[in-house]
Amino acid sequence: MPETYNPQLGREHSYPYEHQAEERDWHWGMIININRCINCNTCSFACKSTWTSGEGEEYMWWMNVETEPYGGYPMGWDMRLLDDLGKDETIFEAAEEGERVKGYVAQKEEWEYPALGDDQVHGEYPTGDVVESDLENDEYHDMWQFYLPRLCNHCKNPACLAACPRKAIYKREEDGIVLLDQERCRGYRKCVKSCPYHKPMYNPETGVSEKPVGCFPRIEEGNVPRCVSSCIGKTRLHGNINRGPDAGHPGGNASAAAGRSPVNYLAKSDEKIALPLYPQFGTRPQVFYMPPYHVPPEFLTQMFTPNTDEKRNDWPGDTFEESIKIVQDRVRNPSHHTLGILQLFGATTRLIETYTVKEHRVKGWDRKGNKVVDMPFEEEMEVREGEMWTNQP
Amino acid sequence: MSLSRRDFLAAAGTGTVGALLGSAWGATQSVDTIMQVDNPLKSYPNRDWEEVYHDIYSYDRVDWTVCHPNCTQSCALNFYMKNGVPIRAEQIYHEEEGSPGPGSPGGYEEAGVSRHWNPRGCMKGLTLHRRTFEPSRIKYPMVRKGWSPDDPNPEGRGEDEFERVSWDEAIDLIAEKMASLEDEKRFHIFNAIKADGLITRHGAGRRLASVFGGCEWTEYDWYADLPPGHVITTGYQTSDADASAWRAADYTIMQGKNLIHNKLADNHFLQETRERGGKMVGVYPDYSPTVQKCDRWLPVRPGSDPAFALGVAHVIIDEELYDEAFMRKFTTLPLLIRQDDGKYLRAHEVFEDHEPPAEDSEQRHEENDWGDFVALDENGDPVPVTREEVGEETPATPQLEVDTELELASGESVGVHTDFVRQKSNILENYDPETVEDITTIPADALRKTAREFADAEKAQWFTGEGINHWFHSNDSLQRTIFFVQSMLGNIGERGAGYYNYSGQYKIELLDGYPSYVNPDGNAAHGMYPGYAFAFFGGEQLDAHEIRGDFDRELDLVPQGDAEEPVMPTNAESYTMSKPTILWTMNCNLLNQTKHQEHVIENFVKHPDTSNELSIVSDMHMTYSARHADIVLPVPSWLECEYPDITVGPENPFIHMDHGVMDPLYDTKQDGEAIALVAEKLDEKIPPEERNVDSYRAYFDKFLDDDEDVRDYIQQTLDAGMTTRDIDVEDIEDGPERLQLKTYPRIPFYSQINEDRPFYTKTGRMEFHKEEDRFLELGRADLDHIESPEGTPYGVNKKWDEAKDEENPLYHDEEYQFYYNTPHPKYRTHSSWGMTDWNLIWSSRDFGSTNADPEGTERLVEDFSFPQGEGETEEVPPLGEAFVEMHPEDAADIDVENGDYVRITGKRGDLVVRVMVSERQRPRSAGDMGQLTLWHGWWPQQFPDDEEQGDGVKGYNVTTNIWLDPAQETDDLVHKSVFGDPNISEHVEDDIVWQGAELEHGYEETVWAPTGTNRDDLVEVEKYEEADWWPGDARKDELVQDYIGGSLQGGDS
């Protein structure tokens, strides 16, 4: 089996298919700021009403928000797989004889309660005490919960693709979206079993599996996916995760900013502030989370880092727990530049390819180089002159 | 077009993978095996199939409307139409080709704000179409079989079947009954939500009540949304800012408000304070979901909230952290109070030549002259202070700390002190952080730290909400004390600072031209004070001293009068009472949401002596209230309505106008049209000389005449208000617009602080001491913590000094040791969306099952709502069930596991419900009351029957109560009326409907009325039954501790 270098892990591991010689110019990617998430599930309803409201799809929530640590759709999906994997072992390396990927098929009842544990908290009631977080003094909430929006990661090492015996799952050349060919699938459910994030789902009415489509009909038109545009918490930014600092002007339009995309900055720059979900699985997921800063770092280290003793990748800090703490602090106290990018979240439904943050203003351009956002960090206060005006009419 | 639910399911699913592949299954089989795939990570040979998803995504056209339930937010949404059916919704800023006006290109940017306001519209808006097609819709007008105009037979309500009638018949029955009334005041319109549906929906009902001479009610006062402490302090209904102002705060205290779940659309502004350096502290008895966003959570004993704010005030006073200049300029704190009678000293008492106000208090109110006030200047000499001399115009530099004898003009000498001395001495004596820890369980050092940080912040804001208002004393003394703290710190009148409440859809004020529509030609409905419905119309001989919260004090109240014409308390002449003969409820699930539900059903609804004779309910769904009606009228959903209507809200600056996007599914009529038809009938049935106006029909002719346009009503309303005078109907047809106010964002009291305009009180200042007789009689003239009338382990209704050594027998002897919390749900708005499939699954949390048969829900609706003779349908599990959250310790005490059933019993009723064990609830072991949380708005049929002692009434409100507070029954309280700013009412032009408005006093609907403080009760809980099925529970997994500790996969634990 070919080896592939996984930068999230900082090492090589096996993957059944050769990668392209060069990275795509454009790859689907997303940032989610967990600290802004209010668990309204508007994203989930937006997704479901667009893609899975048909027969056999009743149980399918391609997009769901679960409350950590007790929620889970399907129930307990992550702890079960974590327990099955050895330390520093990807799902590809852990595959059993005759299989390409380590995984399991969640049973019907494990899918049954999408809102399981919704809004529930972990910890003991602080009788006679308070619950407090103070990052400077290494204090975190000892009673905690947080909301984890979950969706297909359009991985660079997709497990579903690796596992499909019919090669009916593929990665699109132009945008990296991973699709499951609905005409070719025969419902063997290897993708359902192998995806560690449990996003391919089997439709018992049609006999074929389905998986999230990254809202490709919208991406093709230069618009962000529905879970992003519908997010009233302004938790999300979507765009070209592969657009790095050396990239030119979008659409060759010199009036548009060149260089990084805003999502690339948040996930890949020296000021990295967003981390992948369970990178240790080895699939190189392309949704990156700004972690909750009140939550104990031990849990987040398990969830958002390779969680190995040795830190091999280029993340900040000497250990992964340190990486988490540094990123938590960056989220709590964002730099001026990051704060500027945060204003782009939910500002437009157009895909923002490049941007600038100058003083207290942020601008964004789409793939064609059209300016699609131009806004201040804060609105000016307006006061009407004249005695007849009042705020208590 | 007529579409059935089946058609919708087919249409909404058309083009889905399921439907397409289902039909194309054979075809795909036959083309198999031809395609060879090499490396699917690099390329894929044939991608034509992707068209499947393009088809699913495609639509015929886009239209837009507004989702505006009683969440108060109002969000414009695009609806994507296919084959005439809305298949999905999307927030209006979507820039896709084909998106109409408001979506192109900037969404709310088009309304004159920045893109920071995008996107608006939550998961409920995104299922409006599913709600429109769900099975509980009322499909045609119906009359209860047991009802007849002459023999209303109310005992059959809720049980009798209905029969279909035509609209003509229904309208005729209503008009006939109205025409037969001897006293028009017996015609009552009840509607929830004051600030939407204003013209062509239930607002038309209010207009009819006005011209007919009837009464109108609102749920706003009754359901304890009203925050009276705001009115007591500032004379203003509720102070609140546009949500975009929240973001500017450096410090936020969030007390008893789960803002992250009940203000969804604009919540991000609050979350964003933290990215800009803002700190957030939560004060809740439970780990409210909002706590996860807080830097610090102070767990508080339920109902002890006022003591927390008094403790904060203590630290600020004790450590002299206050802003004296602000206090002098804008508050009563420097004004002198007579120690003998507790009245503010008047200038004419001190200065011989000073003109006294009228002797008679009613005359004072009429003249808007309550005398001038007195302070001592820096030399200790008295100076008169008029109502207008506020802010920079405050005379001299009055002293804050005065406690002295003063010689009056009469030669008499009287002890006086300033309001500040009065509050300060009481607070320093009684509310040091250690005492407050005893009262609240909040550690004293954490309180000190919070108070110091709060005082140190440049701009600090404080939120409370319904959770607080529903406690008897919190809605008064907590609110007054928060204003006290904020005024000591100068945190009023600027962006990012203030005290907000945001409960209820009360901000009809912002549409200030509205009286021109609802009160035409000087006709106004009587504002009916609903709290009295309990005391009088209930029929039950209520103990005045208990139910009214009149704790054995000598008050001249006469609560048990004639049920037809009850006697009002003295000095409450402004409170209208009138027993309804006809009660027409629109836009409100009155009987589901009402507290003390058994009492209401038994007496107000079903009792032959005390109920009304005709109950009409207009609704989209067969709710509990509709089920108990005599005449049921179906209304269209927002997607189906024929006439547009307008709405405004308290935390955004927009005016929205909705309009339908599809043809109605059923034989529905919008309220305005039904009202117009009744009005037309009234003209036929009532001779001109007996009418209250020349013609009832004439007030609704734009609904009835083909050449008229109801949008003219809207335009007339817009033209009559300052906030809308430059807005045309055509503008808001194209998308939301921004209201015209003094500032954007709207900052309450901006002009008071920055332009020296008076507050809406007698003194023109924020008043902390109150001099009105009622407050003095009750011993509640100043800021204090008083224990609850029921919800406490300590002495009830007493200040801490006395209460701490006493035991509430209900708690100690009868062991009612839980309080019963019914917060706003997230996936419903109150009871709306209660039967919408996806919302129901998510609302039910652990008990919401995607595998359940959707028919289970349909049958639940049918059995209850549309019974057909004897045949009960077979029981099928529904998509979701109601549940109560309970701490695992307390559940274990009664041998209850997650999913088991319990019976919750209060003094006023009981219910059976499943338990969800929940670590976020307050356990009894925290020292006092355990918390039970039952998200509000469940429908009764979502609860199981109590097989052992069923009494026919079930639901989440059977154990709740309404307490009436005599402090809130006084004509003497001065306030601004809903519409119009008296400070500038001479400066606006004649065509503004509130030109010349003056200060008001006494009862005013949604401003000053007793508010049912209905959380304030205790319950006990016992095991009812073990469950026969349990949902999954990740907590039972043996891996969960390792998972939470981060030690799976060999990680560090």
Side-chain angles (χ1 to χ4, degrees):
Chain A
M1 200 182 285
E3 290 282 304
T4 181
Y5 180 74
N6 184 331
Q8 293 181 354
L9 304 181
R11 69 176 178 91
E12 292 200 333
H13 59 78
S14 60
Y15 183 79
Y17 294 104
E18 289 274 0
H19 278 254
Q20 290 182 351
E22 299 213 353
E23 280 270 14
R24 290 165 171 77
D25 287 340
W26 208 98
H27 195 290
W28 190 103
M30 194 185 295
I31 307 289
I32 301 181
N33 183 352
I34 286 176
N35 293 280
R36 283 184 178 183
C37 179
I38 55 176
N39 195 24
C40 62
N41 274 291
T42 306
C43 53
S44 309
F45 282 47
C47 177
K48 189 159 181 61
S49 63
T50 309
W51 299 118
T52 61
S53 55
E55 257 186 281
E57 297 175 327
E58 290 84 355
Y59 83 99
M60 291 186 195
W61 293 84
W62 286 357
M63 174 71 244
N64 73 292
V65 183
E66 50 202 45
T67 306
E68 290 297 332
Y70 294 142
Y73 168 79
M75 189 174 87
W77 61 275
D78 50 350
M79 63 185 170
R80 174 157 172 189
L81 186 58
L82 288 168
D83 189 48
D84 281 350
L85 291 177
K87 197 166 204 172
D88 201 12
E89 184 183 43
T90 65
I91 55 175
F92 306 107
E93 294 158 324
E96 282 159 33
E97 193 62 34
E99 299 224 323
R100 291 171 184 161
V101 183
K102 174 88 178 170
Y104 75 96
V105 176
Q107 297 304 302
K108 187 179 172 190
E109 47 276 18
E110 293 167 65
W111 290 105
E112 187 167 352
Y113 312 104
L116 188 78
D118 197 55
D119 293 326
Q120 291 304 306
V121 69
H122 164 75
E124 286 193 19
Y125 192 89
T127 300
D129 202 354
V130 303
V131 169
E132 188 159 18
S133 139
D134 180 357
L135 267 52
E136 280 169 30
N137 293 310
D138 243 10
E139 277 179 42
Y140 305 87
H141 284 186
D142 45 16
M143 190 176 181
W144 56 270
Q145 61 173 196
F146 69 92
Y147 302 133
L148 182 68
R150 293 231 306 109
L151 65 159
C152 173
N153 284 288
H154 296 281
C155 303
K156 289 190 173 171
N157 298 333
C160 53
L161 184 152
C164 180
R166 282 183 62 81
K167 295 185 181 175
I169 302 179
Y170 60 97
K171 196 167 193 59
R172 304 214 310 179
E173 292 170 70
E174 66 272 33
D175 53 21
I177 289 173
V178 179
L179 288 183
L180 190 163
D181 184 338
Q182 292 292 293
E183 292 180 358
R184 190 171 165 86
C185 174
R186 286 294 169 270
Y188 298 140
R189 279 170 270 183
K190 293 292 183 188
C191 56
V192 175
K193 180 178 179 182
S194 66
C195 173
Y197 305 99
H198 295 269
K199 286 301 172 186
M201 299 172 196
Y202 178 69
N203 185 325
E205 293 293 323
T206 62
V208 301
S209 300
E210 302 171 17
K211 79 167 286 301
V213 297
C215 272
F216 73 81
R218 291 166 66 94
I219 305 296
E220 288 167 357
E221 300 295 322
N223 295 312
V224 299
R226 289 225 57 198
C227 58
V228 177
S229 71
S230 67
C231 179
I232 48 177
K234 288 178 171 286
T235 68
R236 300 187 194 208
L237 191 63
H238 185 266
N240 180 1
I241 198 71
N242 279 1
R243 176 177 258 276
D246 302 329
H249 301 285
N253 186 340
S255 66
R260 287 183 187 279
S261 66
V263 291
N264 181 284
Y265 183 86
L266 297 177
K268 307 265 170 105
S269 74
D270 291 345
E271 211 194 350
K272 175 194 289 290
I273 197 169
L275 305 173
L277 177 64
Y278 294 121
Q280 61 268 52
F281 294 161
T283 65
R284 293 181 69 188
Q286 297 302 308
V287 178
F288 298 85
Y289 295 83
M290 293 166 65
Y293 49 74
H294 291 313
V295 172
E298 303 81 50
F299 184 81
L300 301 178
T301 305
Q302 176 180 270
M303 180 167 269
F304 294 113
T305 79
N307 200 21
T308 50
D309 296 339
E310 186 191 352
K311 190 183 140 307
R312 301 192 198 88
N313 64 19
D314 61 354
W315 296 9
D318 294 329
T319 65
F320 282 122
E321 190 163 317
E322 259 184 59
S323 306
I324 285 287
K325 288 179 176 176
I326 292 166
V327 171
Q328 278 181 304
D329 187 60
R330 287 175 184 170
V331 179
R332 181 70 181 97
N333 304 298
S335 69
H336 185 81
H337 191 84
T338 299
L339 187 60
I341 297 176
L342 281 166
Q343 308 315 307
L344 297 173
F345 287 46
T348 176
T349 61
R350 298 294 294 166
L351 267 164
I352 300 172
E353 188 73 6
T354 60
Y355 73 104
T356 58
V357 175
K358 284 187 184 145
E359 292 175 350
H360 289 276
R361 204 159 186 96
V362 58
K363 297 176 185 175
W365 289 267
D366 69 12
R367 287 182 78 173
K368 293 177 183 159
N370 299 318
K371 188 156 77 176
V372 291
V373 183
D374 183 351
M375 63 195 287
F377 281 26
E378 184 59 286
E379 296 171 320
E380 287 287 315
M381 173 122 172
E382 294 175 31
V383 181
R384 275 199 166 78
E385 295 304 323
E387 278 192 304
M388 72 292 247
W389 295 107
T390 176
N391 278 345
Q392 280 87 226
Chain B
M1 182 177 60
S2 173
L3 277 164
S4 70
R5 176 169 166 75
R6 184 171 299 276
D7 293 334
F8 166 70
L9 293 173
T14 296
T16 62
V17 174
L20 275 189
L21 288 183
S23 57
W25 181 245
T28 51
Q29 290 279 6
S30 64
V31 298
D32 191 23
T33 72
I34 296 167
M35 190 170 76
Q36 286 299 316
V37 182
D38 178 25
N39 179 348
L41 193 63
K42 289 183 179 172
S43 66
Y44 197 68
N46 183 359
R47 292 171 44 186
D48 294 345
W49 77 272
E50 288 177 9
E51 204 51 32
V52 168
Y53 284 111
H54 280 285
D55 288 345
I56 292 172
Y57 189 74
S58 70
Y59 47 85
D60 305 334
R61 66 185 177 88
V62 188
D63 203 348
W64 76 282
T65 189
V66 183
C67 177
H68 49 106
N70 192 11
C71 69
T72 76
Q73 287 156 104
S74 302
C75 302
L77 293 168
N78 286 341
F79 280 86
Y80 290 75
M81 310 292 293
K82 200 177 214 169
N83 304 324
V85 172
I87 55 170
R88 63 174 185 267
E90 181 148 2
Q91 290 96 338
I92 55 161
Y93 75 139
H94 188 44
E95 290 178 36
E96 200 160 52
E97 202 177 327
S99 294
S104 185
Y108 279 90
E109 190 178 43
E110 305 295 300
V113 296
S114 74
R115 285 174 181 247
H116 289 285
W117 283 89
N118 289 332
R120 307 186 71 250
C122 74
M123 102 307 282
K124 292 181 283 272
L126 299 197
T127 52
L128 254 189
H129 58 308
R130 296 190 82 82
R131 183 179 162 197
T132 298
F133 283 89
E134 60 112 312
S136 68
R137 287 294 301 277
I138 301 168
K139 298 168 184 66
Y140 35 74
M142 297 188 291
V143 174
R144 181 167 62 88
K145 286 182 179 169
W147 179 86
S148 76
D150 305 322
D151 182 11
N153 182 25
E155 298 97 319
R157 286 178 177 163
E159 288 156 38
D160 292 348
E161 291 169 28
F162 289 99
E163 63 186 342
R164 180 175 185 167
V165 295
S166 69
W167 272 99
D168 272 351
E169 288 170 275
I171 296 295
D172 193 71
L173 286 168
I174 295 167
E176 184 64 33
K177 190 77 181 174
M178 285 176 73
S180 74
L181 291 175
E182 284 176 23
D183 177 358
E184 287 85 359
K185 266 168 76 179
R186 306 291 174 206
F187 171 69
H188 290 208
I189 289 281
F190 190 109
N191 38 83
I193 317 184
K194 303 298 292 182
D196 85 333
L198 296 168
I199 309 285
T200 64
R201 295 202 181 82
H202 47 280
R206 298 182 69 194
R207 183 172 162 101
L208 178 63
S210 290
V211 296
F212 188 73
C215 293
E216 54 152 342
W217 309 23
T218 164
E219 96 298 359
Y220 185 69
D221 325 78
W222 193 353
Y223 291 173
D225 285 347
L226 183 72
H230 283 242
V231 191
I232 293 169
T233 309
T234 67
Y236 185 49
Q237 183 193 41
T238 303
S239 79
D240 40 31
D242 283 336
S244 61
W246 302 340
R247 189 164 64 181
D250 300 306
Y251 207 99
T252 303
I253 291 180
M254 195 58 73
Q255 189 167 10
K257 188 169 189 72
N258 186 15
L259 196 92
I260 74 166
H261 285 169
N262 58 34
K263 288 283 176 280
L264 294 170
D266 303 317
N267 198 279
H268 62 89
F269 286 116
L270 181 72
Q271 304 310 327
E272 289 177 56
T273 63
R274 303 180 297 143
E275 292 157 9
R276 298 171 181 226
K279 191 157 185 165
M280 198 147 94
V281 169
V283 184
Y284 303 90
D286 59 333
Y287 188 106
S288 163
T290 301
V291 170
Q292 67 160 276
K293 309 297 187 195
C294 293
D295 296 284
R296 184 181 304 137
W297 167 36
L298 306 174
V300 63
R301 171 166 68 92
S304 69
D305 294 272
F308 168 71
L310 287 158
V312 172
H314 184 285
V315 175
I316 290 166
I317 296 170
D318 189 42
E319 302 183 9
E320 297 184 9
L321 306 175
Y322 46 82
D323 176 350
E324 290 189 16
F326 193 95
M327 290 153 70
R328 281 192 200 99
K329 286 192 284 190
F330 302 113
T331 73
T332 50
L333 295 171
L335 297 187
L336 296 178
I337 298 161
R338 290 176 63 126
Q339 296 189 42
D340 55 354
D341 62 4
K343 302 280 183 184
Y344 282 98
L345 186 67
R346 295 305 204 274
H348 70 270
E349 297 180 273
V350 180
F351 306 103
E352 253 175 70
D353 53 347
H354 209 95
E355 189 75 23
E359 284 284 322
D360 175 58
S361 82
E362 190 55 35
Q363 203 180 333
R364 289 186 188 193
H365 292 313
E366 268 165 35
E367 293 171 1
N368 273 324
D369 179 6
W370 301 275
D372 298 329
F373 303 88
V374 183
L376 292 193
D377 68 13
E378 50 272 68
N379 302 318
D381 296 326
V383 286
V385 184
T386 68
R387 210 187 149 264
E388 285 70 36
E389 289 174 318
V390 295
E392 295 298 334
E393 293 166 26
T394 301
T397 306
Q399 296 182 31
L400 286 167
E401 307 222 25
V402 175
D403 188 353
T404 186
E405 290 279 319
L406 195 69
E407 193 177 315
L408 304 182
S410 63
E412 174 198 1
S413 185
V414 65
V416 293
H417 53 196
T418 56
D419 191 9
F420 186 55
V421 162
R422 197 171 169 107
Q423 307 312 326
K424 176 180 170 177
S425 55
N426 182 37
I427 287 170
L428 287 184
E429 187 180 335
N430 294 307
Y431 300 104
D432 61 89
E434 282 69 27
T435 305
V436 169
E437 179 170 348
D438 292 342
I439 304 175
T440 62
T441 74
I442 295 171
D445 57 345
L447 186 147
R448 276 205 178 84
K449 192 169 162 190
T450 304
R452 286 171 189 153
E453 290 169 354
F454 191 77
D456 192 44
E458 196 178 324
K459 291 192 253 181
Q461 59 190 355
W462 198 320
F463 291 73
T464 60
E466 295 90 328
I468 295 293
N469 295 358
H470 288 201
W471 288 82
F472 194 92
H473 292 293
S474 291
N475 76 23
D476 158 351
S477 47
L478 171 64
Q479 293 169 2
R480 291 164 66 187
T481 307
I482 293 172
F483 272 119
F484 179 59
V485 169
Q486 290 296 55
S487 65
M488 283 198 294
L489 299 174
N491 279 328
I492 303 281
E494 62 175 325
R495 175 151 71 163
Y499 168 33
Y500 317 131
N501 198 67
Y502 299 107
S503 42
Q505 176 69 321
Y506 48 88
K507 273 297 177 207
I508 196 172
E509 167 195 58
L510 296 176
L511 197 70
D512 58 322
Y514 190 49
S516 68
Y517 178 75
V518 76
N519 298 330
D521 302 332
N523 295 290
H526 304 273
M528 169 70 185
Y529 159 31
Y532 273 91
F534 283 87
F536 299 108
F537 304 152
E540 188 181 307
Q541 286 300 301
L542 299 167
D543 179 344
H545 293 279
E546 192 177 318
I547 190 74
R548 298 170 53 80
D550 174 12
F551 343 112
D552 297 328
R553 286 172 196 275
E554 294 291 322
L555 280 176
D556 192 9
L557 294 164
V558 191
Q560 293 294 338
D562 174 2
E564 296 297 319
E565 208 61 67
V567 181
M568 298 298 297
T570 53
N571 196 22
E573 279 75 24
S574 60
Y575 293 65
T576 300
M577 289 299 302
S578 158
K579 182 187 175 189
T581 301
I582 303 169
L583 177 62
W584 190 342
T585 306
M586 302 171 185
N587 199 41
C588 182
N589 192 354
L590 170 65
L591 300 180
N592 199 61
Q593 311 304 97
T594 188
K595 320 306 170 191
H596 206 170
Q597 197 175 24
E598 283 195 28
H599 166 68
V600 171
I601 297 293
E602 282 169 17
N603 298 304
F604 188 61
V605 176
K606 298 179 90 161
H607 197 292
D609 298 334
T610 52
S611 69
N612 55 60
E613 293 174 20
L614 172 57
S615 166
I616 309 155
V617 171
S618 302
D619 208 305
M620 246 179 95
H621 301 280
M622 200 60 174
T623 61
Y624 192 61
S625 309
R627 185 68 186 91
H628 284 81
D630 303 319
I631 297 179
V632 176
L633 300 176
V635 303
S637 87
W638 295 310
L639 301 183
E640 301 168 306
C641 49
E642 185 180 346
Y643 307 106
D645 212 338
I646 49 177
T647 174
V648 295
E651 42 78 56
N652 68 68
F654 308 117
I655 176 169
H656 286 86
M657 188 165 82
D658 64 26
H659 46 81
V661 302
M662 61 182 281
D663 294 332
L665 294 172
Y666 307 116
D667 186 14
T668 51
K669 285 191 194 300
Q670 227 161 306
D671 292 331
E673 189 184 352
I675 289 286
L677 292 169
V678 168
E680 186 172 49
K681 270 271 163 52
L682 288 174
D683 276 3
E684 291 169 21
K685 291 177 187 285
I686 304 175
E689 64 276 13
E690 290 174 25
R691 295 178 199 157
N692 199 37
V693 293
D694 291 343
S695 158
Y696 297 115
R697 186 191 191 280
Y699 285 92
F700 300 94
D701 54 3
K702 296 187 199 310
F703 288 99
L704 300 168
D705 294 337
D706 287 343
D707 55 348
E708 298 274 6
D709 185 344
V710 294
R711 290 180 307 173
D712 293 346
Y713 291 134
I714 296 175
Q715 189 63 56
Q716 287 162 13
T717 301
L718 301 180
D719 292 344
M722 288 299 287
T723 65
T724 50
R725 58 186 308 193
D726 296 329
I727 296 175
D728 292 329
V729 165
E730 289 75 27
D731 300 334
I732 47 178
E733 267 178 349
D734 292 340
E737 290 286 329
R738 204 180 87 191
L739 297 166
Q740 304 164 151
L741 289 142
K742 175 74 191 175
T743 67
Y744 170 75
R746 183 171 58 90
I747 310 296
F749 308 125
Y750 178 88
S751 297
Q752 273 71 12
I753 304 307
N754 295 282
E755 298 179 324
D756 302 328
R757 292 181 187 167
F759 283 84
Y760 308 104
T761 55
K762 289 181 193 170
T763 58
R765 295 160 173 267
M766 282 187 277
E767 290 183 4
F768 301 108
H769 172 73
K770 296 302 289 186
E771 66 164 11
E772 289 76 9
D773 290 341
R774 185 58 47 80
F775 293 103
L776 292 164
E777 289 163 5
L778 290 165
R780 285 161 58 187
D782 298 289
L783 310 177
D784 259 314
H785 171 78
I786 304 173
E787 283 297 310
S788 155
E790 181 174 316
T792 173
Y794 303 104
V796 296
N797 281 316
K798 297 201 165 74
K799 291 183 190 173
W800 182 248
D801 236 10
E802 286 179 74
K804 67 182 177 190
D805 300 321
E806 292 183 20
E807 292 184 345
N808 178 1
L810 188 63
Y811 178 93
H812 287 279
D813 304 337
E814 295 185 57
E815 299 196 341
Y816 281 47
Q817 297 189 344
F818 290 88
Y819 83 103
Y820 182 75
N821 189 32
T822 56
H824 282 163
K826 175 173 53 172
Y827 302 109
R828 288 186 298 265
T829 297
H830 304 275
S831 62
S832 300
W833 283 270
M835 284 291 176
T836 308
D837 50 3
W838 298 347
N839 302 67
L840 177 53
I841 290 169
W842 284 81
S843 293
S844 303
R845 306 299 208 282
D846 289 12
F847 311 108
S849 163
T850 57
N851 285 355
D853 189 343
E855 283 183 20
T857 305
E858 296 190 19
R859 287 182 198 190
L860 206 56
V861 169
E862 279 165 19
D863 282 351
F864 174 78
S865 306
F866 307 109
Q868 306 283 329
E870 294 298 305
E872 293 278 307
T873 49
E874 195 184 332
E875 211 170 284
V876 178
L879 294 168
E881 276 185 74
F883 63 91
V884 64
E885 293 184 37
M886 185 174 187
H887 194 275
E889 262 177 30
D890 289 322
D893 273 357
I894 53 169
D895 191 29
V896 159
E897 286 192 51
N898 196 37
D900 287 346
Y901 293 88
V902 292
R903 181 188 289 118
I904 298 171
T905 305
K907 298 285 279 179
R908 299 156 192 91
D910 51 53
L911 72 148
V912 169
V913 64
R914 295 196 85 147
V915 166
M916 178 166 160
V917 299
S918 160
E919 288 158 71
R920 64 182 202 85
Q921 303 304 314
R922 185 176 172 94
R924 278 181 301 170
S925 66
D928 34 76
M929 299 179 289
Q931 172 167 303
L932 301 176
T933 292
L934 212 170
W935 297 99
H936 115 147
W938 292 103
W939 291 27
Q941 61 265 52
Q942 288 161 340
F943 292 85
D945 288 324
D946 189 337
E947 306 281 351
E948 293 162 19
Q949 51 187 64
D951 49 19
V953 182
K954 57 179 188 174
Y956 68 96
N957 262 326
V958 291
T959 70
T960 54
N961 187 29
I962 299 256
W963 297 89
L964 300 177
D965 184 350
Q968 293 156 12
E969 290 172 345
T970 171
D971 285 346
D972 275 341
L973 205 286
V974 169
H975 56 80
K976 171 186 160 333
S977 94
V978 172
F979 298 102
D981 186 342
N983 287 331
I984 55 157
S985 61
E986 300 301 332
H987 297 299
V988 300
E989 289 170 24
D990 288 352
D991 53 356
I992 298 302
V993 68
W994 51 269
Q995 203 256 1
E998 295 182 345
L999 283 176
E1000 299 292 335
H1001 68 282
Y1003 177 85
E1004 185 175 348
E1005 191 182 32
T1006 77
V1007 178
W1008 182 246
T1011 178
T1013 50
N1014 42 43
R1015 287 285 161 69
D1016 214 337
D1017 55 2
L1018 289 177
V1019 296
E1020 65 165 350
V1021 54
E1022 63 190 319
K1023 185 169 183 174
Y1024 174 78
E1025 194 177 83
E1026 262 173 32
D1028 52 7
W1029 69 272
W1030 286 267
D1033 186 348
R1035 289 171 291 199
K1036 289 185 173 165
D1037 198 304
E1038 56 189 30
L1039 296 173
V1040 77
Q1041 287 311 324
D1042 294 341
Y1043 174 66
I1044 289 168
S1047 63
L1048 285 174
Q1049 212 189 7
D1052 297 330
S1053 61

